[in-house]
Amino acid sequence: MRGERFLLLPGLLFLLLFFAYPVFAILERSLAAPEGLTLARYLKALTAPAYLEAWRNSLLFAALSTLAAAVGGVFVAYWTSRLPLRLKGLLMSLYAVPVSLSGLVVAFGFIVLLGRNGVVNQLLAPLGLPRFDLYSWTGLFLVFPFYNIPLFALALMPLLESVGKGLLEAARASGATPFQAWVRVLLPALMPGILAGSSIVFAGMMGAFGTALALTGFAKNLLSLQIYSLVAESTFDLPQAAALAAVLMGTTGVGLYLLALWERRFRR
């Protein structure tokens, strides 16, 4: 066993170089000042109206996107699990396609479909119906379930296939209605998997960047876009961007910790 411990070294080295060191560099840059260490940038990140609004928007957007992915993912996974094996395998392969696409590719596809001159709006215009605004919060919220729901379904399918069908049949045989079987039997059994999938989606949505930037530019105030603006725009300020990045990491970490506590409770 002592010799096998050396097999951990490549993974530990990878974590040190590509996770621990970048995080340390961000924290060091956010605190460094000519006169020594300072918390002024964090104070600004937590009090400036624009940054507070960006933090609230990112947290609310991530929470709502995670909820939509969880609801949609559960039903997509349940429906898929009841299909014949060959069709199920085909759909599982198709579910992996949106997950593998670049955020910019997804944004461009939705612009072609739902943009101001997109296919849907060109069909709606002759009918006198209102055009769909892809570049609003509603439009932005609509785009992300395109790959969050398949991702959630892929994460939930193994658990659903192993326990779902048998539990529902047992509940129905015991006299439960379909609604009771779902709410009191199936969902509690699936909750650890649902919370694990929620953690993946929540972390991704807190840092949502490429698709949001391609669709709205800086019209929507998100924390990831504020960080990018401090790095790439005329307001170049790497130390303040590092402080905002630390706030984003801290918020995501707290959210993931709460989801992990909730998951542990259901596992018990």
Side-chain angles (χ1 to χ4, degrees):
M1 292 298 295
R2 291 182 179 179
E4 292 177 357
R5 292 176 183 175
F6 287 101
L7 298 175
L8 298 175
L9 289 179
L12 291 176
L13 182 62
F14 181 86
L15 288 176
L16 287 173
L17 288 176
F18 298 102
F19 179 74
Y21 174 73
V23 170
F24 172 78
I26 288 173
L27 295 177
E28 187 273 335
R29 179 161 291 185
S30 68
L31 294 170
E35 64 275 9
L37 298 180
T38 178
L39 294 175
R41 301 183 188 98
Y42 286 94
L43 182 63
K44 183 177 180 181
L46 297 174
T47 56
Y51 296 154
L52 278 178
E53 182 187 23
W55 179 80
R56 287 193 299 266
N57 288 345
S58 294
L59 189 59
L60 182 61
F61 180 75
L64 291 177
S65 296
T66 302
L67 179 61
V71 173
V74 167
F75 285 101
V76 168
Y78 175 74
W79 172 76
T80 306
S81 68
R82 298 172 62 88
L83 296 174
L85 184 60
R86 182 174 297 180
L87 182 56
K88 184 192 305 182
L90 174 62
L91 289 177
M92 292 287 285
S93 300
L94 292 177
Y95 293 162
V97 173
V99 179
S100 64
L101 293 176
S102 164
L104 295 177
V105 174
V106 173
F108 179 73
F110 273 89
I111 290 173
V112 171
L113 183 65
L114 294 172
R116 292 188 178 93
N117 295 315
V119 175
V120 172
N121 281 328
Q122 288 183 4
L123 293 175
L124 293 176
L127 301 177
L129 298 175
R131 290 174 172 264
F132 182 81
D133 185 7
L134 179 63
Y135 311 106
S136 62
W137 280 114
T138 302
L140 192 61
F141 181 75
L142 179 67
V143 170
F144 285 96
F146 171 72
Y147 45 82
N148 283 338
I149 289 178
L151 173 64
F152 210 103
L154 288 172
L156 199 58
M157 277 294 295
L159 181 61
L160 189 59
E161 288 185 334
S162 62
V163 301
K165 186 176 180 180
L167 283 178
L168 283 179
E169 290 177 351
R172 294 301 304 276
S174 300
T177 64
F179 179 78
Q180 290 173 331
W182 258 90
V183 174
R184 296 187 178 182
V185 178
L186 184 59
L187 285 182
L190 295 179
M191 193 57 69
I194 292 173
L195 292 173
S198 298
S199 299
I200 299 173
V201 175
F202 178 79
M205 291 300 96
M206 280 298 298
F209 171 69
T211 305
L213 180 65
L215 288 178
T216 65
F218 296 103
K220 304 304 176 187
N221 193 7
L222 293 172
L223 205 52
S224 58
L225 299 181
Q226 284 283 359
I227 295 170
Y228 179 74
S229 70
L230 290 171
V231 172
E233 296 297 307
S234 57
T235 55
F236 184 77
D237 189 348
L238 278 180
Q240 187 61 53
L244 290 180
V247 171
L248 179 59
M249 287 189 294
T251 304
T252 305
V254 170
L256 294 180
Y257 176 72
L258 294 177
L259 287 171
L261 287 180
W262 198 7
E263 179 187 359
R264 193 177 309 164
R265 175 186 175 187
F266 274 96
R267 287 190 183 277
R268 288 201 301 265

